[in-house]
Amino acid sequence: MTDVIAFFPGQGAQHVGMLGDLVADYPVIRETFAEASDAINQDLWQLAQEGPAETLSITYNTQPALLTASVALWRVIQGACPALQVVAGAGHSLGEYSALVAADGVDFADAVRLVKKRGELMDAAVPAGQGGMAAVLGLEEDQIRAVCAEASAAGVVEPANFNAPGQIVIAGSMAGIEKAVELAKAAGAKRALPLAVSGPFHSSLMKAAAEEFGKALAAVAFRAPAFPVFHNVDNQPATLAEIPARLLAQLYSPVNWTGAVEATRSKAELAVEFGPGKVLAGLNKRIDKSLNTLSTGDAASVAAVISAIQGA
């Protein structure tokens, strides 16, 4: 049985119809969605299959739906490969919660309720139209930090996602974002464009949600994860007592996905992205071409993952 690094995607990986071609062969998918739907009294399977996309993309809908899809795919692979050996795990933003569920660090139903609340608080933290995010391609980390520092005279703007070398997302006020996009282009960015998101996620503007979310985290019973989960805030595993604080800080701190891959890379030669789409697989190629990252979003991909894990 092959050792595996388990990765779990964040917002942006969702799409209407996700997992639809797998459900007939893997009943655990519908069972997982039913369990999650019961936890928050919302039909997540209907949302995932029928949308509309605009509704699925609202952060307080995306988060429970995507967490559920990732956990469902985890359960599919775990069921087919009962001796699965995960040596490290990490998730991109929301995906950190999926990783903790997979590692048995938190009950699935609790995680669904947590991310629903997280999405509601993130959505309410900054009034609509006053904050956002933008992707900047082709600049180095130091250049991005310099751009944000200069643009902050116009309004709050900060690095939010270090997704891969030359692919960084910034977040902040609309005025700050607009100025940073202008400066990034002047600094030689290949592209700098606003993203279709509802708020300035992973920036200090999310601290408005922190107190209330801290209460939600304090009400949940966490357990020591069965495999090391590398947290976004420092790309290190946490002790049991540290997990809530790491999750809270993640709300308003940058996600360093490049660091996550570098921190886990030495643990195994095979990584699996448990979620719809191939977002992390694409980023991982830019970070470390030698790491084989397989996706699980469709029937052919699931079959390939099962074969790779079993060493066929």
Side-chain angles (χ1 to χ4, degrees):
M1 193 69 70
T2 303
D3 287 350
V4 169
I5 304 166
F7 289 138
F8 299 84
Q11 292 188 80
Q14 77 281 353
H15 60 86
V16 175
M18 58 185 179
L19 279 59
D21 69 328
L22 287 163
V23 68
D25 291 332
Y26 300 102
V28 71
I29 292 175
R30 283 301 298 269
E31 293 165 8
T32 302
F33 271 85
E35 186 181 343
S37 298
D38 287 346
I40 56 173
N41 194 29
Q42 180 180 6
D43 191 338
L44 291 173
W45 182 251
Q46 181 181 37
L47 175 65
Q49 297 310 301
E50 301 176 15
E54 295 78 12
T55 303
L56 179 61
S57 294
I58 298 171
T59 187
Y60 52 75
N61 290 328
T62 304
Q63 295 197 34
L66 187 53
L67 170 82
T68 303
S70 286
V71 171
L73 289 166
W74 164 261
R75 289 175 172 179
V76 165
I77 301 301
Q78 194 179 41
C81 307
L84 175 63
Q85 295 289 330
V86 174
V87 292
H92 190 294
S93 187
L94 165 73
E96 196 162 282
Y97 294 81
S98 308
L100 286 168
V101 173
D104 196 34
V106 65
D107 286 340
F108 176 45
D110 283 339
V112 174
R113 286 187 286 264
L114 261 182
V115 302
K116 179 71 172 180
K117 183 70 171 178
R118 180 177 182 264
E120 291 169 347
L121 292 170
M122 290 169 71
D123 187 64
V126 177
Q130 292 189 20
M133 304 179 82
V136 181
L137 306 182
L139 294 185
E140 300 299 320
E141 290 186 17
D142 288 347
Q143 292 176 293
I144 291 288
R145 294 185 194 280
V147 161
C148 287
E150 185 176 349
S152 64
V156 174
V157 60
E158 301 159 356
N161 300 155
F162 296 97
N163 284 332
Q167 186 172 332
I168 298 171
V169 175
I170 58 176
S173 66
M174 295 308 295
I177 291 287
E178 289 169 8
K179 184 62 176 177
V181 164
E182 174 189 324
L183 292 172
K185 289 177 179 176
K190 294 177 182 176
R191 294 183 73 189
L193 65 163
L195 298 177
V197 297
S198 57
F201 306 142
H202 297 292
S203 77
S204 60
L205 295 176
M206 286 291 108
K207 285 186 177 179
E211 183 177 353
E212 193 67 25
F213 191 55
K215 295 175 185 176
L217 286 165
V220 170
F222 290 93
R223 295 180 292 272
F227 55 79
V229 173
F230 287 69
H231 289 264
N232 290 166
V233 293
D234 58 2
N235 297 128
Q236 293 292 327
T239 65
L240 175 57
E242 293 170 338
I243 290 174
R246 299 279 181 93
L247 293 174
L248 184 60
Q250 189 228 62
L251 194 66
Y252 49 80
S253 303
V255 173
N256 182 359
W257 188 251
T258 300
V261 173
E262 291 171 344
T264 57
R265 174 64 186 94
S266 64
K267 308 297 183 184
E269 295 302 313
L270 175 66
V272 177
E273 177 179 359
F274 292 92
K278 303 177 180 180
V279 174
L280 299 183
L283 294 179
N284 291 3
K285 283 183 182 177
R286 298 181 60 135
I287 297 167
D288 187 339
K289 289 183 173 62
S290 71
L291 178 61
N292 182 22
T293 305
L294 301 181
S295 55
T296 54
D298 55 46
S301 298
V302 166
V305 167
I306 292 170
S307 177
I309 291 172
Q310 292 176 342

